[in-house]
Amino acid sequence: MATPQQPLPATTLPATPPKALKLDTIQGDILSGLPKKTETLYFFQIKDVAKFRKDLRNLIPHIKTASQVIEDRKAIDDYKRGHHGCEGHRPALIPMVGVNIAFSHLGFKKLGIDDAKLNDSAFFAGQRVDAGQNLLDKGAGEGANFSPDWEEPFKKDIHGVIILAGDSHATVEAKLHKIKEIFGVGLGGAKDSIVEVTTVRGDARPGDQSAHEHFGYLDGISNPAIVGFDKNVPPGPAPIDAGHVLLGETGDALPRDPWMVDGSFLVFRYLFQKVPEFDDFVDRNALQLPGLTRKEGADLLGARLVGRWKSGAPLDLTPFMDDPELGPDPSKNNNFHFKAEATFQKMCPFAAHVRKTLPRDDLERLPGFSLAKNRIMRRGIQFGPEVTKAERSAKKTFHGRGLLFLAYQASIVNGFQFIQKSWVNNTGFPFGTPEVPGVDPILGQGPGRDIGITGYDPNDPKAVLKLDAEWVIPRGGEYFFSPSIKGLSDAIAASA
Ligand code: HEM
């Protein structure tokens, strides 16, 4: 899910100019994605409320807005084209770092800020509780006492997260050092207004895998295009109103307090991936079709679990053979709808990850039905080392690796929580299909996983594939709200 430093699409004006978005106040990660090869997430608790509010005022000038990210991306584009001369002496990437900040419900509570009009039950409950009630993470206890099988720091109260994305560890670490100074961290005595709960770091994978997640599939392809922001949108799912990502914008009908406008909910999930085990599964269950080698049969099965080939090419467009040119081509690789096979899974299984998480015409073929409110803006990055030889030969994971999953939306209940609970974990979704689909094999959790999935074999849609292992293991997370700069200045930081 890495969005490495990529050029922005060329621009043309939309037919009806929509309400202008205030790009100078929207935090940069939401609409554009902070450019990144590496990202550090610094999770904190607020210790001294009055001092924190003052310190926050000093952080604000460091926060990157959407308009600054657009500038940064233009600079990256120019740099890549070599407009700056000095070839041979310049670093591969422009040194650059982007900072954003977001708060949990516990954070707002600690600050004494009334966040009732954020109006999101998942946000108010927090992810630790939601993990038991709705997401079906493994763990012990029930309700408010649920204790997921997560890493210890994520079971603690987390008040906020500072996101630092950049070109290199050195640039990001220098900025983190500066930010710690702002909040007095490490200065001793009563000088610190926050304490660190934990820090996690993600890195784009090396070489030609840099935009691929750890199982090897190209990621970060399909994110919603926003009316009034994205221009010259390539064919694919219809652009959505900004209010499905940003509070208070067109499409968000709920009453909000002024400080909430142009903010967005941020979901973080700390997802570990068992790569050798996944590879072993697709190898053991390789599809045996005429003319396919075992390796090709394994690749086809993997593609059927994800809904795209490793190149990014969608099964709905090329069901039986990868198309390495189509895969990374943004003008073509999202142009599919499952239209021809709304009740049919020869081309792409109903349970495939991309079909479960955005069912396109499986639902949108119904008159007047729109999936806009369920769309999320994914901004993740990989963490952990590449698979070692020892792991590959043991078919077992010895080193932690996976995805720092981050996603923005105007409602966690309609966005991330709905996708995981009502689609991914739901064996019967999409509804009204001739075969019971089963859970999303990549992400599905809970008892439904034991049933297995149908549709893995293109020639026998009823055949069931048992999922004898889990390859994505949640080990932490929290729900946050990422306010606008105006919201931060007017309501959260101390007045100037
Ligand atoms: C380690 C865990 C995960 C892996 C390996 C993974 C992998 C992928 C891949 C390879 C794609 C296709 C590329 C693309 O369209 O951008 C994708 C798409 C997507 N994923 Fe995931 N993902 C993971 C976690 C999640 C989670 C937690 C969610 C939300 C509950 C999610 C929601 C989506 C959505 C909405 C899409 C785009 C679907 C579309 O628009 O066609 N993913 N993911």
Side-chain angles (χ1 to χ4, degrees), residues 1 213 215 217-222 271 273 306 308 336 353-354 357-358 360 375-376 378 403 405 416 419-420 442-443 472:
M1 215 159 284
E213 53 69 48
F215 294 139
Y217 297 85
L218 184 64
D219 205 352
I221 302 171
S222 181
L271 299 174
Q273 289 176 254
V306 173
R308 290 185 185 265
F336 65 99
H353 178 60
V354 301
T357 53
L358 186 66
R360 304 186 186 212
R375 308 260 349 242
I376 55 175
R378 292 171 301 132
L403 175 67
F405 175 86
F416 166 76
I419 295 174
Q420 182 77 46
I442 302 298
L443 275 193
V472 173

Side-chain angles (χ1 to χ4, degrees), residues 224-422:
I226 304 292
V227 175
F229 180 71
D230 291 291
K231 291 150 196 164
N232 208 15
V233 176
I240 62 171
D241 282 330
H244 296 299
V245 177
L246 295 165
L247 273 59
E249 292 295 342
T250 309
D252 175 27
L254 292 174
R256 307 292 190 181
D257 288 329
W259 68 267
M260 299 170 177
V261 170
D262 287 328
S264 185
F265 289 103
L266 165 64
V267 171
F268 168 66
R269 292 275 275 169
Y270 195 18
L271 299 174
F272 282 65
Q273 289 176 254
K274 298 210 160 181
V275 180
E277 290 86 344
F278 176 83
D279 288 346
D280 178 44
F281 180 85
V282 294
D283 176 56
R284 280 188 284 115
N285 295 284
L287 281 157
Q288 295 171 13
L289 301 181
L292 290 193
T293 62
R294 172 139 179 177
K295 163 87 173 59
E296 287 165 344
D299 285 349
L300 176 58
L301 178 63
R304 289 186 76 79
L305 302 183
V306 173
R308 290 185 185 265
W309 296 88
K310 286 187 173 168
S311 71
L315 281 193
D316 202 45
L317 297 181
T318 176
F320 307 119
M321 205 190 290
D322 193 1
D323 180 343
E325 275 179 27
L326 166 65
D329 181 349
S331 70
K332 297 189 182 140
N333 65 8
N334 214 17
N335 189 15
F336 65 99
H337 300 274
F338 307 119
K339 199 182 212 73
E341 54 159 4
T343 58
F344 180 63
Q345 52 181 345
K346 188 166 181 80
M347 283 146 91
C348 182
F350 298 128
H353 178 60
V354 301
R355 194 163 186 178
K356 277 279 190 179
T357 53
L358 186 66
R360 304 186 186 212
D361 275 8
D362 287 340
L363 292 180
E364 288 191 330
R365 77 197 146 95
L366 305 170
F369 196 96
S370 162
L371 290 169
K373 68 177 186 310
N374 307 116
R375 308 260 349 242
I376 55 175
M377 197 68 100
R378 292 171 301 132
R379 297 286 179 231
I381 188 164
Q382 282 60 53
F383 71 89
E386 293 296 292
V387 173
T388 61
K389 268 192 190 155
E391 289 177 294
R392 214 174 279 292
S393 59
K395 300 174 181 169
K396 212 169 161 5
T397 298
F398 301 141
H399 307 281
R401 64 176 65 76
L403 175 67
L404 305 180
F405 175 86
L406 291 97
Y408 294 93
Q409 56 242 269
S411 159
I412 298 172
V413 170
N414 291 333
F416 166 76
Q417 189 203 53
F418 192 86
I419 295 174
Q420 182 77 46
K421 176 185 170 183
S422 305

